[in-house]
Amino acid sequence: MGETGAVRHCACGTRLARDNRTSRCGACTRTGRRSRTEPPEVPVEFWNHPPLRRALLARDMGAVIRAYRTHPHHGRPVRQETVATWIGLSSTRLSRIENGEPVNDLTKLTRWAQLLRIPRHLLWFHLPAEVGDDVASGTPVAGGQESAGDALLPNDTSAEAMDAGNAEQLRRRLDSLLSGTASSARLEMVEQQVLDHLTQYTRTGPAEALGSLVPDLAEVHALAARRHPLAVHRTLSTAITMLTLLVADAHMKRGLVDDARRWYRTALLSARDGDDPLLAALVLAQQTMLAYYYETPEQTIRLARRAQELVADTVCDAAVLAAAAEARALGKLGDARGVHHALADARRLTDRLAELRANDDPHAAYRFNHGRLALYTSGALSNLGDVAHAHEAQDQALDTYATDPRLVIDPALIRLDRAFVQATAGDPAGGADLAAATLTELQPAHRTAVVLIRARDVVTAAEALPGMRRNAASAVRQLRELTTV
């Protein structure tokens, strides 16, 4: 229904003529279009729009509604009268809410968050379980505010109902209730969470990693949304950047390119929010993998050089990763001189890092060590066609990774580099057989998009050979079929 009074509007936002006795405009009446009585569905990236994120971080629902209305996703701003209809207010009252003091009534905040379908992890207030679930799904809810104690408890607290899922839900709510301030103990817990994820990430499949990353990222985000001293704010920004970067990498490995690109962008915003150029450089250096596998060598090189500009002369993981990524991309372009120059820089920086970090886990995410350098060297020299030196780098890398059998994806990529070299050197059957064996040995969780992309490179290299021998055709065909699964 439109508003009552001197001026009335159709629910689609169109102003109604004074002599219109209905609640719908002419266009809606002619086309049979339904009145828009609730907000439309919006994509996930809708909530990453900077004005909207700033409003959410400011904990001001009025500003959130205004940023929602004026979001470029809508094409043109949604009229206040339309949004007022959605949430059951007059346009005058909505205008006061958008421009006045922040609303603190939890019942209203909960209802408006539900109506706009604001993702639960972005909110600064805690929701009862059933309301939190409804906000995520857009299902209407009833009832008012619960006490803090009631909100902690699942609906059914019988011994039979308190399974592992309910118990974990209760534990997270307790954590949330007890972590309203960023004490030193809480910050230590956050830093330990990040360290645990960095350690485990390289040893698990990307889908499994996402399952544990997202809830912890939501918890850290909820803590960071509160006001903190600058030092605490930077610590939390670093934690969010590191976890967000892992989420981006997991999407990249799974082949979800658009999602990965958005997560890399969010990670970069977080690094800049913490005013940390070295962290921003790490984001750009990590993003080179997205460009390498799914975009172009030129884009990879641009990102790598931007990262190197940010780090200047600092010896850090971002610097060595950027140099190694540039070498691998230059190999695709056939620039032998550039490859060897970039690899020399990467080797010098890796040696210095090894001296500085003798006791760190060498295979943690974002850590660059001699094993990872050998991986990138293998890719660069394989792309360049330098067979002898590529084999040497591959042997070195496989020896390094053999110390931990949980490391799976990187060794698979190294073996696929070897298969690529074998195919380009005139043995397409051998290369195809090695690549097929590598894919077959991988568990489905580790048979990621980037692995399949490198296996397809072997197919392309084999098929490009003039007069490929008949005995190789069957092996190449089998590999092609494996890469399309």
Side-chain angles (χ1 to χ4, degrees), residues 198-266:
L198 294 176
T199 301
Q200 294 301 319
Y201 181 77
T202 54
R203 298 168 169 90
T204 57
E208 181 184 348
L210 278 174
S212 60
L213 275 166
V214 171
D216 285 349
L217 178 56
E219 285 187 1
V220 178
H221 173 270
L223 182 62
R226 300 178 174 90
R227 296 181 185 276
H228 299 291
L230 182 59
V232 174
H233 173 75
R234 285 179 171 169
T235 297
L236 292 172
S237 290
T238 298
I240 289 175
T241 303
M242 300 294 266
L243 295 177
T244 303
L245 198 47
L246 288 178
V247 174
D249 189 84
H251 281 94
M252 181 274 297
K253 285 180 177 171
R254 297 180 69 195
L256 304 173
V257 178
D258 290 339
D259 289 331
R261 192 177 289 116
R262 287 189 287 266
W263 278 100
Y264 280 120
R265 184 170 62 242
T266 300

Side-chain angles (χ1 to χ4, degrees), residues 29-58:
T29 301
R30 286 192 303 274
T31 62
R33 182 172 59 198
R34 293 181 179 180
S35 296
R36 293 194 335 193
T37 57
E38 63 180 21
E41 296 285 348
V42 296
V44 173
E45 61 270 19
F46 178 96
W47 304 100
N48 290 331
H49 190 51
L52 191 51
R53 294 304 292 266
R54 285 195 293 270
L56 287 162
L57 289 173

